[in-house]
Each structure stands twice: as C-alpha cells, then as structure tokens.
Amino acid sequence: MIKDSKIPAPTIERLALYSRPLENLLKSGTDLISSEKLAYLCDVSSAQVRKDLAYFGEFGIRGVGYNTEALLNEIKNILATNREWTLCIVGMGNLGSAIVENENFKKMGYKFVAAFDVDPEKIGKTLPCGLIIESLSKAGKLVQSLHIEIGVVTTPPSGAQKVSDLLMDAGVKAILNFTSFQVSAPACCVVENVDFTMKLENLAYHLGRSQSFIS
Amino acid sequence: MIKDSKIPAPTIERLALYSRPLENLLKSGTDLISSEKLAYLCDVSSAQVRKDLAYFGEFGIRGVGYNTEALLNEIKNILATNREWTLCIVGMGNLGSAIVENENFKKMGYKFVAAFDVDPEKIGKTLPCGLIIESLSKAGKLVQSLHIEIGVVTTPPSGAQKVSDLLMDAGVKAILNFTSFQVSAPACCVVENVDFTMKLENLAYHLGRSQSFIS
C-alpha cells in the first residue's frame, strides 16, 4: 500500500492527528467521512488531508469520502499502532507521575512496564498504576528481561543524555525525551524531543503578530 | 525584516528549536555559527536552516556564518519571545504541578500568575512557586485583573473545551491544551494542542518500519 518510503515527518504527525476524530466517529457509528469533514475536525485544510493520505495509496471514493473503519485501520497499520509497545519511564517527579498514569497511553497500546528513579525516597514506592519505582541501577537488566522498546525520559535536563544512553545501551530502540535538553541518538535509535516551551513560542509568535496588526 | 507574512508553522517551530543551542553558544562566548553547525546541533539539514532563516531576510555572511547574538535576537523578535507573557493554568494534578514549576518557562519569559482547580481539597493550597490555587469560579475576574494572555489547560479531557471557552470569554487570547481533547477556538484566539501520545505514534512508525526492514 505504501507508495513512497520517504514520507515527510509532518505527514506522519498528521496521520496521528487524523486518527483521533476517526476513533470517535467509528464509536458513534459514522461509516463514511469526507476529506472536508476530517479536515474541519482536525483544523487542517482538506487539500492537506487528501495530499497526506495520497502518500499511502487510494483510500477514498471520489464524491463519497472515506470508509471510517478502513481509513482508521490503514492509519494504524502505517503508524504501527495496531500492536502493543512496552515502555519504561525514568524520573518519577510530577511529570513522570502524570505520564505513567495517562489513560490515553494505555488505551493506545503503550504499556509502561517499569518506572525508575535515583531518589532513595521514591525507590520502592508503588504507583497508582501498580508499578513499583525501581532504582535506575536496575534499568539495564529490566530493559532486557521485560523487552522494553521505548524509554520515556522525565529527569532533570542535566541527566537526560546520560539516562538516554544508558537505556539505548541496554536495548531500548527509541527515546521520548520530555526534558529541555536536546538528546542525540546513534543511527540505530530514534529520539523524539518534546519541548513544552516550544509550543508556547508558537503561540507567542501568533499573539505577537495579531497584536502588532491591531496597534 | 520579515519578507513574507505567510511563514509556515513548521518554520516557526524550528526557529524555537534553533534558539536553544544559540542561547548556549552565546553563554559560552561563541560569536559566529555556521548553518552546518546549527543544523547539526538541532538535528535538521543545513539547507533547511538556510531556507528557514531566509524567510526573514539575510542574516548570514556567505562563507562565514551567522553572528550568534544577532541571530538569536532576531529569532526572539520574530517569535515575540523578547518580552514577558502572563499565563494561568487550570487543572492542578501532577501534570499541572509539573508545568507550573518548570524552570524553562520562567527563564523564557512565560510567567504563571494564577493557578486554578475545581477540587475543594486543592483550592487554597500554596504551590512551591508561591502561587495559591484558586477556585475556577474566580478565573473570569482574575484573567481580567491580572491581564492574563495565555491559558494552559491540564484538566481531564472532558473539561478541556469548557475551560478553554471560559478562559477565552474572560479575555485570554491563546490556549495551550495538554489534554487529549482537540480544543477548537474562535478566530480571535489561537490554540495549540499538545498531545503526548502523538509523539509516541511518530516513534512507533519509525520503529515499526525499522523492524519490518530487519525481518
């Protein structure tokens, strides 16, 4: 089905975006959706929707739209979200605690099987999700025995690279980094850096411009 | 300086990305930086760096590079991050608590001046940053009296639209939404939806592909 192996990263991100309303439409029994409707629900242009989906072959029927279930299944196939992934998380402060309990991760097949910290006061505590916080010194062993594929990093920024290296050395194939430090990875691994403040800068840019138009 | 008012959103996001290593270079006394070096530090191509910066006029000197300080100042000007912004946050669970204490927000001029919740057990408590959690019923008044420009939403997803509407009605011009619910906004306002699981889908896509290449 995939026409081109060089699919742009923004398209991949939008596929994840498209899957959200499709899940809801399917639940509410809506069998067909037009690119216009999907575009409206996701706040992108309908031309963008059609262009993105065209990377993966012909889904739609001209003048009718897309079959909701088929489209969602195809997106899940492409994103490899039609399976379960095993995750660990390092750094059990407020952010780590929020992420490990996030209902959406579970619902979407992202399963946390280990949580680590270096703080002796945190190690040994049971989280609401049932996991016991382990010492980071056990990470190497547990990544291997639990076949952990993705590591989530919510440590202070100064520890992010060291922790990521440790996890990747142990066999983790991907890092989701929530610290402000830009983690780099060897070619065998993938890193996604999530920076909250960057989203704010996006907002500030738009606000700055709208205010200068007014004045 | 700005050549084109239609600057693509990914360029704006990358400008924020570029500013991170520039801050560090400036601190360490590096006066000049090449597009190659900046590209390397940000994990994008140098052609992309040059293309992005070209939207805003001619910064660089061919064969020499960019003046670090001038480039950083120009980016801050464009992103309107060379000023302070006033923020409030609604939903003081683990995620809200993590965000309101985030050192980077403060450092970059994003100042939280109010925190709200609906839980009577949380209202009245003092946060480590010094703010007292207020009842959401006071949001309308406080948004006006404190001139709050940006609202951060860390409520459960079911409350996200209602809370955003309440903040925008009160005068907030932008919403940073951390819930899995896609908040929509009237034309006068800007919304950035931050979805953690979407970043994971990006990772899963790359992992799924690399694994299918191996097998």
Side-chain angles (χ1 to χ4, degrees):
Chain A
M1 196 74 170
I2 294 172
K3 285 161 94 181
D4 187 348
S5 67
K6 284 209 174 176
I7 296 153
T11 295
I12 298 301
E13 290 201 19
R14 278 189 299 267
L15 287 185
L17 183 67
Y18 301 156
S19 71
R20 300 295 181 283
L22 289 176
E23 297 264 11
N24 294 333
L25 288 168
L26 195 62
K27 266 181 228 156
S28 68
T30 309
D31 291 337
L32 282 170
I33 182 163
S34 65
S35 51
E36 285 75 19
K37 179 82 188 290
L38 184 58
Y40 172 77
L41 291 171
C42 299
D43 202 18
V44 300
S45 73
S46 54
Q48 185 72 71
V49 168
R50 286 189 296 266
K51 197 178 154 197
D52 285 337
L53 297 181
Y55 275 105
F56 306 98
E58 287 301 325
F59 286 127
I61 307 157
R62 195 176 293 270
V64 178
Y66 306 100
N67 176 292
T68 313
E69 191 174 3
L71 181 57
L72 182 60
N73 285 340
E74 197 57 42
I75 289 179
K76 284 183 172 179
N77 251 324
I78 294 162
L79 295 178
T81 49
N82 52 353
R83 52 153 286 187
E84 201 171 80
W85 295 91
T86 51
L87 281 72
C88 70
I89 184 163
V90 183
M92 298 311 295
N94 280 320
L95 184 59
S97 305
I99 286 170
V100 85
E101 304 294 342
N102 187 305
E103 282 300 318
N104 267 7
F105 281 77
K106 242 173 291 180
K107 226 188 296 175
M108 302 186 69
Y110 301 105
K111 196 180 167 198
F112 285 100
V113 296
F116 301 101
D117 206 293
V118 290
D119 181 353
E121 291 208 7
K122 286 180 187 157
I123 295 164
K125 281 201 176 154
T126 306
L127 295 164
C129 65
L131 287 179
I132 294 167
I133 301 177
E134 304 279 356
S135 164
L136 184 59
S137 62
K138 290 193 186 164
K141 227 180 222 173
L142 284 174
V143 162
Q144 286 180 15
S145 63
L146 298 172
H147 308 287
I148 295 171
E149 298 157 298
I150 302 173
V152 178
V153 180
T154 48
T155 62
S158 59
Q161 186 67 55
K162 210 176 135 191
V163 162
S164 301
D165 289 342
L166 188 156
L167 294 177
M168 291 186 284
D169 283 347
V172 155
K173 288 282 168 258
I175 297 287
L176 187 65
N177 167 35
F178 280 93
T179 78
S180 59
F181 185 87
Q182 292 280 314
V183 167
S184 53
C188 59
C189 296
V190 198
V191 172
E192 280 282 333
N193 294 299
V194 185
D195 185 338
F196 299 153
T197 54
M198 237 176 258
K199 287 280 177 182
L200 267 174
E201 275 161 291
N202 227 344
L203 281 182
Y205 166 74
H206 289 290
L207 286 179
R209 287 182 67 77
S210 64
Q211 286 178 359
S212 65
F213 286 147
I214 293 162
S215 64
Chain B
M1 194 75 169
I2 295 172
K3 285 160 93 183
D4 187 349
S5 66
K6 284 210 175 176
I7 296 153
T11 296
I12 298 302
E13 290 201 20
R14 279 190 298 268
L15 287 183
L17 183 68
Y18 302 155
S19 71
R20 300 295 183 280
L22 290 175
E23 298 263 10
N24 294 333
L25 289 168
L26 195 61
K27 266 181 228 155
S28 66
T30 308
D31 291 337
L32 281 170
I33 181 163
S34 65
S35 52
E36 285 76 20
K37 179 81 188 288
L38 185 57
Y40 172 77
L41 291 171
C42 299
D43 201 19
V44 299
S45 72
S46 55
Q48 184 73 70
V49 167
R50 286 189 295 268
K51 197 179 153 197
D52 286 337
L53 297 181
Y55 275 106
F56 306 98
E58 287 301 327
F59 285 128
I61 306 156
R62 194 176 294 271
V64 178
Y66 305 101
N67 176 292
T68 313
E69 190 173 6
L71 181 56
L72 182 60
N73 284 340
E74 196 58 42
I75 289 179
K76 285 184 172 179
N77 251 324
I78 293 163
L79 296 178
T81 49
N82 53 353
R83 50 154 286 188
E84 201 170 82
W85 295 92
T86 51
L87 281 73
C88 71
I89 184 163
V90 183
M92 297 312 294
N94 279 320
L95 184 59
S97 304
I99 287 169
V100 85
E101 304 295 341
N102 187 304
E103 282 298 320
N104 268 6
F105 281 77
K106 243 174 291 180
K107 227 189 295 175
M108 303 186 67
Y110 300 105
K111 196 181 167 198
F112 284 100
V113 297
F116 301 101
D117 206 293
V118 290
D119 180 353
E121 291 207 7
K122 286 180 187 157
I123 295 165
K125 281 203 175 151
T126 305
L127 295 163
C129 64
L131 286 180
I132 295 166
I133 301 177
E134 303 280 355
S135 164
L136 184 58
S137 62
K138 290 192 185 166
K141 226 179 222 175
L142 283 174
V143 162
Q144 287 181 13
S145 64
L146 299 172
H147 307 288
I148 294 170
E149 296 156 298
I150 301 174
V152 178
V153 179
T154 47
T155 62
S158 58
Q161 186 67 56
K162 208 176 137 192
V163 162
S164 300
D165 289 342
L166 187 155
L167 294 176
M168 291 187 282
D169 282 347
V172 154
K173 288 282 167 256
I175 296 287
L176 187 64
N177 167 35
F178 281 92
T179 78
S180 59
F181 185 89
Q182 292 281 314
V183 167
S184 53
C188 59
C189 296
V190 197
V191 172
E192 279 282 335
N193 294 298
V194 184
D195 186 337
F196 298 152
T197 55
M198 236 176 259
K199 287 278 178 185
L200 267 175
E201 275 160 293
N202 229 343
L203 282 183
Y205 166 75
H206 290 290
L207 286 180
R209 286 182 69 77
S210 65
Q211 287 178 357
S212 64
F213 286 147
I214 293 161
S215 64

